[in-house]
Amino acid sequence: IMALQKLKRIAHLPKPPRHGYTVLLVTLLMLMVLAPTARQLGYGDIVNSILVSMVLLAGIYAVSSRKGVIPIVVMVGLAALMVHWFVFVTDWDRLALFGAEITGILFFGLIGFLLLQDILSRKGNVSWPLINGALSVYLIMGIVFAFAYSLLHTITPDAFTGADKIDGAGFHNFVYLSYVTLTTLGYGDVTPMRPIAASLVTLEAVVGQIYLTVLVARLVGMHITAEVAELDEPEE
């Protein structure tokens, strides 16, 4: 009975704010595209900090209609924002790094979970905002694993080999590693050397493929259901 009640509550989730998912997707793409360009021009740290801040704020906005959890989201998001800028000011102090990585995992993990819950509960036509939300979840998965890799590297510096050879040491190397792993591209220039690092890389590759399979099945199912409903409507 409790499970049925929970499913019923999920089925009646409030609609996300207008353009919330689209704004989040755009900021995530900006982080992926503009941050490497800025590093090439010598402005990587400040531009990366600004873009990460934009993604954090966009994530809060995307789930702002969820009144029951928004206080927790705002609290974790602000903590991640403050720690991130503290890391920027203190030039990557080790203790600050722990804070940035842990709050990053918590915040983006929470945002990804809430978005996925919303996407899987929706019914009706497949809309562009829904597609944007689904794509955002996929990109957020890459960010979460990037923070996990960075945390592991901070704890165990020899967990990966080659992590400091791509434009110097930094979090951006683990973002690169994460998306290369998530898409199963696997160039092999950054390689896990510890069993736990290998397990994380394997987990991300498997989760990424499972997500795409479930997502496509869900969107196709919603499209077919909507078409059948339209055909069943009586003609006037």
Side-chain angles (χ1 to χ4, degrees):
I1 295 176
M2 292 180 63
L4 291 175
Q5 291 175 343
K6 185 176 181 180
L7 288 174
K8 186 177 180 180
R9 288 196 300 270
I10 293 175
H12 293 85
L13 292 176
K15 290 184 178 181
R18 184 176 178 82
H19 305 308
Y21 291 171
T22 303
V23 171
L24 178 58
L25 178 61
V26 169
T27 55
L28 285 167
L29 292 174
M30 289 174 61
L31 178 63
M32 293 178 60
V33 175
L34 297 183
T37 304
R39 285 198 304 275
Q40 187 69 28
L41 298 175
Y43 301 99
D45 291 340
I46 183 63
V47 171
N48 184 74
S49 297
I50 293 173
L51 291 174
V52 170
S53 301
M54 291 173 60
V55 174
L56 288 169
L57 295 175
I60 294 174
Y61 176 62
V63 298
S64 59
S65 61
R66 305 286 294 274
K67 303 301 181 183
V69 296
I70 191 61
I72 300 175
V73 173
V74 171
M75 181 177 63
V76 178
L78 291 179
L81 187 64
M82 289 187 294
V83 173
H84 182 80
W85 279 100
F86 181 74
V87 168
F88 173 74
V89 172
T90 57
D91 194 26
W92 299 96
D93 177 78
R94 184 179 178 85
L95 182 60
L97 267 177
F98 276 114
E101 291 155 353
I102 292 173
T103 55
I105 292 172
L106 292 176
F107 177 77
F108 286 106
L110 179 59
I111 293 296
F113 171 77
L114 293 175
L115 292 184
L116 184 60
Q117 186 186 53
D118 183 41
I119 292 166
L120 295 179
S121 68
R122 291 297 169 189
K123 298 180 180 180
N125 292 322
V126 180
S127 62
W128 277 110
L130 188 68
I131 294 174
N132 291 338
L135 293 175
S136 296
V137 173
Y138 187 68
L139 296 181
I140 286 173
M141 287 170 55
I143 297 294
V144 172
F145 275 97
F147 275 113
Y149 296 148
S150 182
L151 178 61
L152 179 60
H153 178 70
T154 302
I155 298 172
T156 310
D158 62 344
F160 298 92
T161 181
D164 58 346
K165 295 180 180 178
I166 305 173
D167 193 24
F171 175 70
H172 58 275
N173 288 324
F174 296 106
V175 174
Y176 163 78
L177 170 64
S178 182
Y179 285 118
V180 167
T181 303
L182 188 65
T183 57
T184 66
L185 186 59
Y187 283 125
D189 43 2
V190 182
T191 307
M193 298 300 293
R194 294 276 185 168
I196 188 172
S199 297
L200 273 177
V201 169
T202 303
L203 178 63
E204 182 178 17
V206 172
V207 169
Q209 298 309 301
I210 291 176
Y211 176 78
L212 290 178
T213 304
V214 173
L215 172 64
V216 171
R218 175 60 178 165
L219 295 180
V220 170
M222 289 178 62
H223 180 69
I224 293 175
T225 301
E227 284 193 342
V228 171
E230 290 178 359
L231 292 175
D232 291 341
E233 291 181 357
E235 297 183 358
E236 297 183 358

